[in-house]
PDB file of all heavy atoms in Angstrom:
ATOM      1  N   ALA V 591      -9.828  12.141   6.215  1.00 94.00           N
ATOM      2  CA  ALA V 591      -8.833  12.565   5.183  1.00 94.00           C
ATOM      3  C   ALA V 591      -8.201  11.411   4.499  1.00 94.00           C
ATOM      4  O   ALA V 591      -7.991  11.372   3.266  1.00 94.00           O
ATOM      5  CB  ALA V 591      -7.807  13.397   5.871  1.00 94.00           C
ATOM      6  N   LEU V 592      -7.903  10.328   5.314  1.00 93.00           N
ATOM      7  CA  LEU V 592      -7.385   9.133   4.658  1.00 93.00           C
ATOM      8  C   LEU V 592      -8.381   8.516   3.637  1.00 93.00           C
ATOM      9  O   LEU V 592      -7.884   8.087   2.538  1.00 93.00           O
ATOM     10  CB  LEU V 592      -7.042   8.077   5.727  1.00 93.00           C
ATOM     11  CG  LEU V 592      -5.609   8.060   6.259  1.00 93.00           C
ATOM     12  CD1 LEU V 592      -5.545   7.034   7.512  1.00 93.00           C
ATOM     13  CD2 LEU V 592      -4.654   7.731   5.189  1.00 93.00           C
ATOM     14  N   ALA V 593      -9.589   8.447   3.980  1.00 89.00           N
ATOM     15  CA  ALA V 593     -10.581   7.900   3.079  1.00 89.00           C
ATOM     16  C   ALA V 593     -10.658   8.709   1.834  1.00 89.00           C
ATOM     17  O   ALA V 593     -10.789   8.054   0.678  1.00 89.00           O
ATOM     18  CB  ALA V 593     -11.965   7.831   3.786  1.00 89.00           C
ATOM     19  N   GLU V 594     -10.562  10.027   1.909  1.00 90.00           N
ATOM     20  CA  GLU V 594     -10.697  10.771   0.731  1.00 90.00           C
ATOM     21  C   GLU V 594      -9.498  10.726  -0.198  1.00 90.00           C
ATOM     22  O   GLU V 594      -9.603  10.789  -1.416  1.00 90.00           O
ATOM     23  CB  GLU V 594     -11.029  12.276   1.049  1.00 90.00           C
ATOM     24  CG  GLU V 594     -12.361  12.432   1.677  1.00 90.00           C
ATOM     25  CD  GLU V 594     -12.882  13.821   1.748  1.00 90.00           C
ATOM     26  OE1 GLU V 594     -12.211  14.746   1.121  1.00 90.00           O
ATOM     27  OE2 GLU V 594     -13.911  14.074   2.361  1.00 90.00           O
ATOM     28  N   ILE V 595      -8.273  10.526   0.455  1.00 93.00           N
ATOM     29  CA  ILE V 595      -7.095  10.241  -0.314  1.00 93.00           C
ATOM     30  C   ILE V 595      -7.290   8.949  -1.066  1.00 93.00           C
ATOM     31  O   ILE V 595      -6.925   8.877  -2.318  1.00 93.00           O
ATOM     32  CB  ILE V 595      -5.878  10.225   0.590  1.00 93.00           C
ATOM     33  CG1 ILE V 595      -5.587  11.614   1.189  1.00 93.00           C
ATOM     34  CG2 ILE V 595      -4.659   9.731  -0.145  1.00 93.00           C
ATOM     35  CD1 ILE V 595      -4.527  11.574   2.348  1.00 93.00           C
ATOM     36  N   GLU V 596      -7.725   7.963  -0.391  1.00 89.00           N
ATOM     37  CA  GLU V 596      -7.836   6.670  -1.008  1.00 89.00           C
ATOM     38  C   GLU V 596      -8.899   6.650  -2.139  1.00 89.00           C
ATOM     39  O   GLU V 596      -8.695   6.047  -3.165  1.00 89.00           O
ATOM     40  CB  GLU V 596      -8.254   5.562  -0.023  1.00 89.00           C
ATOM     41  CG  GLU V 596      -7.194   5.255   0.979  1.00 89.00           C
ATOM     42  CD  GLU V 596      -7.724   4.421   2.154  1.00 89.00           C
ATOM     43  OE1 GLU V 596      -8.901   4.100   2.157  1.00 89.00           O
ATOM     44  OE2 GLU V 596      -6.884   4.108   3.000  1.00 89.00           O
ATOM     45  N   GLU V 597      -9.918   7.515  -1.992  1.00 86.00           N
ATOM     46  CA  GLU V 597     -10.950   7.576  -3.074  1.00 86.00           C
ATOM     47  C   GLU V 597     -10.526   8.601  -4.098  1.00 86.00           C
ATOM     48  O   GLU V 597     -11.247   8.736  -5.149  1.00 86.00           O
ATOM     49  CB  GLU V 597     -12.254   7.971  -2.543  1.00 86.00           C
ATOM     50  CG  GLU V 597     -12.872   6.884  -1.545  1.00 86.00           C
ATOM     51  CD  GLU V 597     -13.269   5.681  -2.292  1.00 86.00           C
ATOM     52  OE1 GLU V 597     -13.427   5.765  -3.519  1.00 86.00           O
ATOM     53  OE2 GLU V 597     -13.521   4.665  -1.620  1.00 86.00           O
ATOM     54  N   ASN V 598      -9.448   9.331  -3.900  1.00 87.00           N
ATOM     55  CA  ASN V 598      -9.036  10.352  -4.871  1.00 87.00           C
ATOM     56  C   ASN V 598     -10.159  11.281  -5.136  1.00 87.00           C
ATOM     57  O   ASN V 598     -10.434  11.702  -6.313  1.00 87.00           O
ATOM     58  CB  ASN V 598      -8.530   9.729  -6.223  1.00 87.00           C
ATOM     59  CG  ASN V 598      -7.631  10.603  -7.035  1.00 87.00           C
ATOM     60  OD1 ASN V 598      -7.040  11.545  -6.467  1.00 87.00           O
ATOM     61  ND2 ASN V 598      -7.459  10.246  -8.312  1.00 87.00           N
ATOM     62  N   LEU V 599     -10.821  11.797  -4.043  1.00 87.00           N
ATOM     63  CA  LEU V 599     -12.052  12.447  -4.138  1.00 87.00           C
ATOM     64  C   LEU V 599     -11.987  13.785  -5.017  1.00 87.00           C
ATOM     65  O   LEU V 599     -12.861  13.911  -5.928  1.00 87.00           O
ATOM     66  CB  LEU V 599     -12.591  12.809  -2.818  1.00 87.00           C
ATOM     67  CG  LEU V 599     -13.979  13.425  -2.826  1.00 87.00           C
ATOM     68  CD1 LEU V 599     -14.984  12.559  -3.465  1.00 87.00           C
ATOM     69  CD2 LEU V 599     -14.428  13.669  -1.313  1.00 87.00           C
ATOM     70  N   PRO V 600     -11.061  14.696  -4.858  1.00 87.00           N
ATOM     71  CA  PRO V 600     -11.063  15.882  -5.729  1.00 87.00           C
ATOM     72  C   PRO V 600     -10.982  15.662  -7.159  1.00 87.00           C
ATOM     73  O   PRO V 600     -11.742  16.234  -7.986  1.00 87.00           O
ATOM     74  CB  PRO V 600      -9.886  16.692  -5.158  1.00 87.00           C
ATOM     75  CG  PRO V 600      -9.566  16.187  -3.872  1.00 87.00           C
ATOM     76  CD  PRO V 600      -9.965  14.754  -3.884  1.00 87.00           C
ATOM     77  N   GLN V 601     -10.168  14.692  -7.655  1.00 86.00           N
ATOM     78  CA  GLN V 601      -9.967  14.456  -9.024  1.00 86.00           C
ATOM     79  C   GLN V 601     -11.227  13.739  -9.546  1.00 86.00           C
ATOM     80  O   GLN V 601     -11.692  14.107 -10.623  1.00 86.00           O
ATOM     81  CB  GLN V 601      -8.736  13.562  -9.196  1.00 86.00           C
ATOM     82  CG  GLN V 601      -7.424  14.171  -9.057  1.00 86.00           C
ATOM     83  CD  GLN V 601      -7.127  14.455  -7.544  1.00 86.00           C
ATOM     84  OE1 GLN V 601      -7.703  13.892  -6.682  1.00 86.00           O
ATOM     85  NE2 GLN V 601      -6.023  15.361  -7.283  1.00 86.00           N
ATOM     86  N   ARG V 602     -11.889  12.857  -8.758  1.00 82.00           N
ATOM     87  CA  ARG V 602     -13.038  12.216  -9.319  1.00 82.00           C
ATOM     88  C   ARG V 602     -14.243  13.182  -9.342  1.00 82.00           C
ATOM     89  O   ARG V 602     -15.044  13.081 -10.133  1.00 82.00           O
ATOM     90  CB  ARG V 602     -13.320  10.993  -8.426  1.00 82.00           C
ATOM     91  CG  ARG V 602     -12.343   9.892  -8.511  1.00 82.00           C
ATOM     92  CD  ARG V 602     -12.600   8.722  -7.625  1.00 82.00           C
ATOM     93  NE  ARG V 602     -13.801   8.010  -7.916  1.00 82.00           N
ATOM     94  CZ  ARG V 602     -14.255   6.982  -7.336  1.00 82.00           C
ATOM     95  NH1 ARG V 602     -13.512   6.441  -6.305  1.00 82.00           N
ATOM     96  NH2 ARG V 602     -15.317   6.306  -7.677  1.00 82.00           N
ATOM     97  N   LEU V 603     -14.232  14.107  -8.272  1.00 83.00           N
ATOM     98  CA  LEU V 603     -15.297  15.065  -8.305  1.00 83.00           C
ATOM     99  C   LEU V 603     -15.125  16.002  -9.497  1.00 83.00           C
ATOM    100  O   LEU V 603     -16.125  16.339 -10.206  1.00 83.00           O
ATOM    101  CB  LEU V 603     -15.127  15.916  -6.970  1.00 83.00           C
ATOM    102  CG  LEU V 603     -16.239  16.930  -6.664  1.00 83.00           C
ATOM    103  CD1 LEU V 603     -17.651  16.086  -6.418  1.00 83.00           C
ATOM    104  CD2 LEU V 603     -15.952  17.684  -5.385  1.00 83.00           C
ATOM    105  N   HIS V 604     -13.900  16.429  -9.771  1.00 81.00           N
ATOM    106  CA  HIS V 604     -13.654  17.262 -10.973  1.00 81.00           C
ATOM    107  C   HIS V 604     -14.075  16.693 -12.243  1.00 81.00           C
ATOM    108  O   HIS V 604     -14.677  17.257 -13.137  1.00 81.00           O
ATOM    109  CB  HIS V 604     -12.197  17.621 -11.001  1.00 81.00           C
ATOM    110  CG  HIS V 604     -11.794  18.419 -12.247  1.00 81.00           C
ATOM    111  ND1 HIS V 604     -12.471  19.435 -12.679  1.00 81.00           N
ATOM    112  CD2 HIS V 604     -10.759  18.184 -13.117  1.00 81.00           C
ATOM    113  CE1 HIS V 604     -11.892  19.975 -13.752  1.00 81.00           C
ATOM    114  NE2 HIS V 604     -10.873  19.180 -14.051  1.00 81.00           N
ATOM    115  N   GLY V 605     -13.921  15.264 -12.345  1.00 76.00           N
ATOM    116  CA  GLY V 605     -14.231  14.614 -13.546  1.00 76.00           C
ATOM    117  C   GLY V 605     -15.748  14.416 -13.748  1.00 76.00           C
ATOM    118  O   GLY V 605     -16.198  14.249 -14.922  1.00 76.00           O
ATOM    119  N   ARG V 606     -16.522  14.551 -12.673  1.00 75.00           N
ATOM    120  CA  ARG V 606     -17.948  14.361 -12.774  1.00 75.00           C
ATOM    121  C   ARG V 606     -18.817  15.660 -12.793  1.00 75.00           C
ATOM    122  O   ARG V 606     -19.929  15.647 -13.285  1.00 75.00           O
ATOM    123  CB  ARG V 606     -18.421  13.535 -11.659  1.00 75.00           C
ATOM    124  CG  ARG V 606     -17.854  12.107 -11.652  1.00 75.00           C
ATOM    125  CD  ARG V 606     -18.438  11.283 -12.724  1.00 75.00           C
ATOM    126  NE  ARG V 606     -19.949  11.345 -12.836  1.00 75.00           N
ATOM    127  CZ  ARG V 606     -20.730  10.596 -11.980  1.00 75.00           C
ATOM    128  NH1 ARG V 606     -20.153   9.734 -11.119  1.00 75.00           N
ATOM    129  NH2 ARG V 606     -21.999  10.712 -12.080  1.00 75.00           N
ATOM    130  N   LEU V 607     -18.188  16.721 -12.252  1.00 75.00           N
ATOM    131  CA  LEU V 607     -18.946  17.999 -12.112  1.00 75.00           C
ATOM    132  C   LEU V 607     -19.430  18.580 -13.410  1.00 75.00           C
ATOM    133  O   LEU V 607     -20.578  19.013 -13.491  1.00 75.00           O
ATOM    134  CB  LEU V 607     -18.051  19.061 -11.426  1.00 75.00           C
ATOM    135  CG  LEU V 607     -17.848  18.868  -9.898  1.00 75.00           C
ATOM    136  CD1 LEU V 607     -16.997  20.023  -9.356  1.00 75.00           C
ATOM    137  CD2 LEU V 607     -19.257  18.951  -9.219  1.00 75.00           C
ATOM    138  N   GLY V 608     -18.667  18.366 -14.501  1.00 71.00           N
ATOM    139  CA  GLY V 608     -19.027  18.910 -15.784  1.00 71.00           C
ATOM    140  C   GLY V 608     -20.309  18.280 -16.340  1.00 71.00           C
ATOM    141  O   GLY V 608     -20.997  18.939 -17.165  1.00 71.00           O
ATOM    142  N   GLU V 609     -20.724  17.108 -15.800  1.00 71.00           N
ATOM    143  CA  GLU V 609     -21.850  16.495 -16.294  1.00 71.00           C
ATOM    144  C   GLU V 609     -23.090  17.144 -15.764  1.00 71.00           C
ATOM    145  O   GLU V 609     -24.265  17.013 -16.370  1.00 71.00           O
ATOM    146  CB  GLU V 609     -21.824  15.041 -15.922  1.00 71.00           C
ATOM    147  CG  GLU V 609     -20.710  14.249 -16.381  1.00 71.00           C
ATOM    148  CD  GLU V 609     -20.646  12.780 -15.769  1.00 71.00           C
ATOM    149  OE1 GLU V 609     -21.711  12.371 -15.209  1.00 71.00           O
ATOM    150  OE2 GLU V 609     -19.535  12.153 -15.894  1.00 71.00           O
TER     151      GLU V 609
END
Side-chain angles (χ1 to χ4, degrees):
L592 266 174
E594 294 196 7
I595 292 171
E596 292 170 359
E597 295 293 342
N598 201 18
L599 186 58
Q601 288 75 16
R602 294 176 67 178
L603 191 62
H604 175 47
R606 296 291 308 281
L607 285 176
E609 301 173 14

